[in-house]
Amino acid sequence: IGMNGGHFIYPFDDTYIHMSIARSAANHGVWGVTPHEFASATSSPVWTFLLTAIYFLFGVHDTAPLVLALICGTFLIGAIYVGLAKYIKSPGRIFLTILILIFATPLPLLTFSGMEHVLHILLFTVFLLLAVPFLSARSNPTLREAGPLLAVGFFLIVTRYESLFVVFLV
C-alpha cells in the first residue's frame, strides 16, 4: 500500500473488471463495464453479483473484493474443519491438515487476488462434502434429499463454469 500511493492494488485486471461491472450495476442498474450498455464481461457472475450487493449496501470500495475473499476463506476453513472432523478425531491432526491446505492451495495468495477463486474452492468443498453420502449410497436419493447438493452445484457452475464437468460427473 505504501508503494502504491496509499492505494490497495490487485495483481490481476480481472478483479477490476468484476469491480467495474459491480459498480455499474449498483450505481446505475446496468450490468456492464460502463453504465452506458449491457456487457457481461465477467467469468464469474456470482462473484460479480456479490460485489454488486456489497457496493449497493455499503458503497463502492476498492477493498470489497478482498473482504469478500476473506469471508469466503473463513467459511472455507470452517467447511474443511466440519468435513475433517467426521473422519479425524485428533484436533492436532485436524489443525495440521487445515494448515497444510491453507498453504498448499495457496489460500493467502488467492485471497489477495480479490477474485472468485476462494469462493469457488468453498463451494467445491461444500459440494464434495454433500456428494460423498450420495456417492456411497446404495439407493437413489429423492429430490428433497438431493436439493442442497443440486443448489450448491448450480452456484458452483455459475461461479466458475468449468465446474460443470464435476457436477455432471457427480
Side-chain angles (χ1 to χ4, degrees), residues 44-158:
S44 178
V46 168
W47 185 256
T48 307
F49 176 79
L50 291 173
L51 282 176
T52 301
I54 290 171
Y55 286 174
F56 185 78
L57 294 172
F58 304 107
V60 177
H61 299 284
D62 287 343
T63 56
L66 175 63
V67 171
L68 187 56
L70 285 169
I71 293 168
C72 290
T74 302
F75 280 108
L76 171 62
I77 293 168
I80 291 171
Y81 173 80
V82 168
L84 290 174
K86 291 180 182 179
Y87 304 102
I88 302 173
K89 299 304 176 201
S90 167
R93 286 185 179 172
I94 292 173
F95 176 76
L96 182 61
T97 304
I98 289 173
L99 196 62
I100 290 169
L101 287 171
I102 287 171
F103 292 103
T105 46
L107 188 57
L109 293 173
L110 292 172
T111 301
F112 280 101
S113 75
M115 291 180 55
E116 73 276 2
H117 302 301
V118 180
L119 173 63
H120 186 245
I121 296 170
L122 168 62
L123 291 171
F124 198 88
T125 301
V126 171
F127 182 77
L128 291 179
L129 290 173
L130 291 172
V132 166
F134 293 114
L135 294 174
S136 61
R138 300 254 189 255
S139 62
N140 291 329
T142 65
L143 184 59
R144 183 178 184 157
E145 293 170 334
L149 179 66
L150 295 171
V152 173
F154 170 77
F155 284 107
L156 185 59
I157 293 167
V158 182

Side-chain angles (χ1 to χ4, degrees), residues 21-43:
I21 294 170
R23 183 183 58 244
S24 293
N27 292 340
H28 306 286
V30 176
W31 188 267
V33 180
T34 68
H36 306 295
E37 64 183 343
F38 171 84
S40 189
T42 178
S43 59

